[in-house]
Amino acid sequence: MVKIGKYNKLRVVKNVDFGVYLDGGEGVEILLPARYIDKPLHADDVIEVFIYRDNEGRLIATTEHPYAQVGEFAFLQVNDVNRMGAFLDWGLMKQLLVPFSEQTVKLSRGMVIPVYVYLDDASQRVVASAKIDHFLGNCLPRYSVGAPVKALVYKHTEVGYKAIVDNLHHGMFYEGDLYRPLEIGQEVTAYVKRVRDDGKIDLLLEGARDGRIESLAQTVRARLDKEPDGFLPLCDNSSPEAIRETFNCSKKDFKKAIGALYREHLIEITPGGIRLVSR
């Protein structure tokens, strides 16, 4: 059975002047228009295509790649608004509808918004919703600490950045854990710091077991080697901005790194900074 709003590998049934027909199963043939064919296709060839419905409700195949398929989130630009709703640039010739009932604010041309792409049960058309919270947290996350995930950053708050994890879960990057700034709409590989009791996930930009702290500790020590008297005016009381500017890391990671050096008796920590221990 063909999956609408997703990529499908379909068999060529026959060639016509305006394209080829593909086997959609159960006796259904789906047109792949000639404008999407860049090399000759023959009967029984198999090709990967994206399937959606055109304005008349007919199934259509394309070799173009939408910015998101059914079940995914994306930031998309509003191209037009009419009595039906807002239409988004989806990466295809046919634009993606956000019905008024699925909007959280009044949309206008040029806005870029986060949406969830889904298949409407009644019409069997691909549409989008700006009510993204409705589509997150509907199943329990099953991740171990340090597991890599895909995170789409969608909102900045006082405590950090909210993210969509693997198109399924709520995630959060806390400011204290960040060693570099994030941007709204940015998609990054993140690592699970903790799965909370409410199903939300705390995230890190670096893996818990990737040697990050050890590497940072070596960087700090190398910097101390170059400083006069082996002293650097950074310590637990320094601002996160000063630490990030010097070592491109979060204050939390810096404290872990100098703690590791201290336990190895390589540095001493004073109220005004850190100093390399002479050996």
Side-chain angles (χ1 to χ4, degrees):
M1 187 68 177
V2 69
K3 296 178 180 178
I4 304 172
K6 289 183 174 288
Y7 296 102
N8 295 255
K9 290 184 177 180
L10 302 181
R11 181 178 60 86
V12 174
V13 176
K14 60 186 176 184
N15 284 269
V16 291
D17 292 340
F18 44 87
V20 301
Y21 278 100
L22 307 174
D23 182 8
E26 300 181 352
V28 175
E29 294 184 353
I30 302 172
L31 176 65
L32 173 63
R35 62 177 173 270
Y36 301 131
I37 302 173
D38 58 5
K39 63 180 181 180
L41 292 173
H42 307 93
D44 293 328
D45 284 349
V46 175
I47 183 172
E48 184 174 69
V49 292
F50 184 82
I51 303 296
Y52 66 100
R53 291 189 185 273
D54 65 11
N55 292 332
E56 283 72 44
R58 298 171 298 193
L59 291 176
I60 292 291
T62 179
T63 53
E64 292 183 321
H65 297 279
Y67 300 137
Q69 58 179 325
V70 164
E72 295 180 346
F73 294 83
F75 276 78
L76 302 178
Q77 181 172 304
V78 178
N79 276 357
D80 194 18
V81 180
N82 63 21
R83 60 182 179 82
M84 296 178 63
F87 289 86
L88 310 178
D89 177 5
W90 189 25
L92 303 182
M93 287 186 62
K94 185 179 187 298
Q95 299 180 94
L96 185 63
L97 172 66
V98 184
F100 287 113
S101 61
E102 295 297 327
Q103 299 178 21
T104 57
V105 297
K106 185 177 181 180
L107 300 179
S108 58
R109 179 179 296 181
M111 293 177 65
V112 177
I113 60 169
V115 295
Y116 179 75
V117 181
Y118 69 100
L119 187 67
D120 179 68
D121 290 335
S123 66
Q124 288 294 290
R125 293 175 183 266
V126 182
V127 293
S129 173
K131 298 179 178 180
I132 59 178
D133 282 344
H134 292 182
F135 303 94
L136 291 173
N138 296 318
C139 61
L140 290 175
R142 301 185 182 279
Y143 298 106
S144 58
V145 172
V149 297
K150 182 176 70 174
L152 176 65
V153 181
Y154 73 94
K155 188 175 183 179
H156 188 214
T157 72
E158 291 182 355
V159 298
Y161 292 85
K162 290 186 175 182
I164 297 165
V165 178
D166 286 343
N167 290 299
L168 291 171
H169 310 293
H170 291 278
M172 173 66 78
F173 292 97
Y174 287 96
E175 290 284 2
D177 291 331
L178 293 175
Y179 63 89
R180 61 179 170 86
L182 294 171
E183 296 181 2
I184 304 302
Q186 182 180 8
E187 188 173 83
V188 298
T189 297
Y191 300 85
V192 174
K193 177 183 179 182
R194 178 173 64 143
V195 177
R196 305 172 69 91
D197 292 340
D198 60 5
K200 296 180 180 179
I201 303 170
D202 295 345
L203 300 168
L204 297 171
L205 282 176
E206 298 285 355
R209 291 188 284 268
D210 64 354
R212 180 181 80 258
I213 302 303
E214 292 82 355
S215 176
L216 178 57
Q218 292 175 11
T219 300
V220 173
R221 184 180 179 184
R223 177 64 180 268
L224 287 170
D225 279 331
K226 298 177 181 178
E227 295 294 324
D229 300 323
F231 180 80
L232 195 63
L234 289 176
C235 59
D236 290 359
N237 298 324
S238 299
S239 70
E241 292 75 21
I243 292 170
R244 184 175 291 114
E245 183 178 347
T246 304
F247 290 111
N248 193 30
C249 71
S250 68
K251 182 172 181 176
K252 182 178 292 187
D253 282 354
F254 175 74
K255 290 171 68 175
K256 289 180 180 179
I258 65 175
L261 292 172
Y262 178 79
R263 288 190 296 274
E264 293 180 24
H265 307 291
L266 296 174
I267 65 170
E268 60 180 10
I269 301 175
T270 72
I274 54 177
R275 187 185 306 277
L276 197 62
V277 173
S278 299
R279 288 195 168 187

